[in-house]
């Protein structure tokens, strides 16, 4: 809306310029950034630590400044900082003591904070939007939190969401006996990425059964060209049967769909990647969040 009606969003109504998405790994923070890149029709800059960090003295600060100047030149634009805790963690003691933060790292962080804070002085037509994602929001510097005006928790999916995810991934491959609601109950604590991995494991089980059938195709002796004047005999699979199986692979898979037992077995061997500390994210959101 600020891009469509810039005259309205001025003064105290100026739009937010920074958003932090935080939550457990695999909940879709980077996926939301991809959606922003597609839907907002702005120039999109995908930035990581390797983009900004340089071994040469002073280069990191120059890279940060050039990044924001380029973003303003191609405005309206969006700068996405993935795994922001690796770039803007809390600034430690850089006085040279053991374990202190290196001076070059402090200078790079300071330049990044200055550039982020300086965005509000530019015209709406030259707006730059900063979108950041982090799995460890409590490690971020307090100055960063002030500049990221909106801080949103991207939590683990609830039961209804997990059921819809499983249905979306497997609805065309499952048998009629599959109870998606029961499987969703068994996947408490799973992230969206974990659900996808679970569905891949379940869909692979009929393929493994098919591979076992193909391996059981009888072997037939086949003469091979002589190498030392004497004929030799090799053993190969029945080529005609293998070709027929390859041509009918889709029909073979449809005749052996993903069963409810396949999903239950996949749950038993596919564990959630989250550490189960979702309460820590919720506590941080309650203390520092802004939605």
């Amino acid at each position: 809306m600020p891009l469509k009606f810039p005259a309205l969003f001025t003064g105290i109504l100026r739009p937010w310029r920074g958003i932090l998405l935080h939550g457990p790994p695999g909940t879709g923070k980077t996926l939301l950034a991809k959606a922003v890149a597609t839907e907002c029709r702005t120039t999109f800059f995908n930035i990581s630590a390797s983009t900004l960090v340089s071994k040469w003295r002073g280069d990191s600060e120059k890279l940060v400044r050039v990044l924001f100047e380029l973003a303003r030149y191609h405005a309206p634009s969006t700068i996405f900082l993935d795994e922001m805790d690796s770039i803007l963690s809390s600034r430690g003691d850089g006085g040279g003591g053991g374990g202190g933060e290196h001076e070059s790292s402090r200078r790079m962080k300071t330049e990044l904070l200055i550039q982020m804070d300086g965005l509000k002085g530019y015209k709406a037509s030259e707006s730059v939007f900063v979108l950041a994602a982090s799995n460890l929001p409590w490690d971020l510097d307090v100055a960063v939190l002030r500049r990221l005006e909106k801080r949103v928790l991207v939590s683990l999916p609830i039961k209804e969401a997990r059921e819809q995810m499983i249905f979306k991934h497997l609805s065309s491959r499952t048998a009629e006996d599959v109870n998606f609601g029961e499987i969703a109950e068994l996947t408490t604590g799973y992230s969206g990425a974990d659900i996808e991995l679970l569905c891949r494991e379940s869909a692979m089980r009929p393929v493994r059964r098919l591979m076992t059938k193909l391996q059981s195709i009888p072997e037939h002796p086949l003469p091979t060209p002589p190498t030392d004047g004497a004929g030799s005999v090799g053993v190969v699979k029945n080529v005609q049967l293998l070709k027929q199986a390859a041509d009918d692979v889709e029909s073979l898979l449809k005749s052996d769909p993903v069963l409810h037992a396949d999903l239950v077995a996949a749950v038993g061997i596919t564990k959630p990647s989250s550490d189960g500390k979702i309460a820590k994210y919720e506590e941080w959101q309650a203390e520092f969040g802004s939605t």
Side-chain angles (χ1 to χ4, degrees):
M1 291 297 104
L3 296 179
K4 292 183 178 180
F5 309 102
L8 177 61
F9 293 90
T10 58
I12 197 64
L13 294 177
R14 65 182 182 273
W16 320 116
R17 297 297 179 86
I19 287 184
L20 171 66
L21 303 176
H22 70 94
T27 51
K29 299 182 292 297
T30 305
L31 192 62
L32 287 172
K34 292 180 180 180
V36 169
T38 304
E39 298 295 332
C40 290
R41 299 179 182 178
T42 61
T43 308
F44 194 81
F45 296 86
N46 186 12
I47 306 301
S48 61
S50 62
T51 310
L52 301 177
V53 177
S54 172
K55 67 177 181 179
W56 303 109
R57 184 181 180 89
D59 264 13
S60 296
E61 302 93 278
K62 292 179 182 178
L63 290 171
V64 170
R65 187 176 67 253
V66 168
L67 166 65
F68 279 87
E69 288 178 353
L70 189 63
R72 294 180 192 117
Y73 179 80
H74 293 284
S77 56
T78 300
I79 297 177
F80 176 56
L81 300 171
D82 201 3
E83 303 296 344
M84 195 173 189
D85 47 272
S86 64
I87 305 173
L88 280 172
S89 57
S90 297
R91 287 169 287 182
D93 180 15
E101 185 178 16
H102 196 274
E103 178 192 359
S104 61
S105 177
R106 288 178 61 87
R107 290 200 309 267
M108 188 268 289
K109 292 177 182 179
T110 301
E111 180 67 27
L112 188 52
L113 291 172
I114 290 172
Q115 293 294 332
M116 291 174 64
D117 197 37
L119 298 180
K120 64 182 180 182
Y122 291 85
K123 297 183 295 183
S125 59
E126 299 177 349
S127 62
V128 178
F129 177 72
V130 177
L131 179 63
S134 175
N135 297 327
L136 303 170
W138 42 83
D139 286 346
L140 293 174
D141 194 89
V142 290
V144 179
L145 301 182
R146 201 268 297 171
R147 287 161 173 81
L148 297 174
E149 300 153 310
K150 289 292 184 180
R151 297 173 287 277
V152 182
L153 171 62
V154 184
S155 188
L156 295 172
I158 59 176
K159 175 183 177 295
E160 290 76 11
R162 297 195 301 273
E163 183 176 351
Q164 286 298 318
M165 289 178 186
I166 299 171
F167 180 81
K168 176 181 178 297
H169 287 303
L170 293 177
S171 59
S172 62
R173 294 181 175 272
T174 53
E176 296 181 357
D177 70 327
V178 173
N179 187 337
F180 291 102
E182 180 181 337
I183 301 301
E185 284 283 359
L186 298 175
T187 54
T188 302
Y190 283 61
S191 66
D194 297 332
I195 294 293
E196 182 186 11
L197 183 60
L198 169 69
C199 294
R200 287 169 57 191
E201 172 62 30
S202 303
M204 191 63 70
R205 288 181 169 266
V207 177
R208 292 180 184 138
R209 291 194 287 266
L210 175 60
M211 291 299 104
T212 302
K213 293 178 182 178
L214 294 179
Q215 290 295 327
S216 64
I217 292 177
E219 298 177 339
H220 296 278
L222 181 70
T224 57
T227 56
D228 54 358
S232 59
V233 176
V235 177
V236 296
K237 290 287 185 181
N238 189 316
V239 178
Q240 184 177 0
L241 289 177
L242 284 175
K243 185 177 184 303
Q244 182 181 357
D247 293 339
D248 299 339
V249 62
E250 283 298 327
S251 59
L252 288 171
L253 288 176
K254 288 181 180 179
S255 65
D256 184 15
V258 178
L259 305 175
H260 186 81
D262 292 329
L263 280 161
V264 174
V267 171
I269 63 174
T270 306
K271 301 303 179 182
S273 59
S274 175
D275 56 6
K277 297 181 180 178
I278 185 62
K280 188 174 182 179
Y281 292 96
E282 294 173 348
E283 291 172 3
W284 192 91
Q285 177 68 17
E287 185 175 359
F288 299 102
S290 174
T291 58

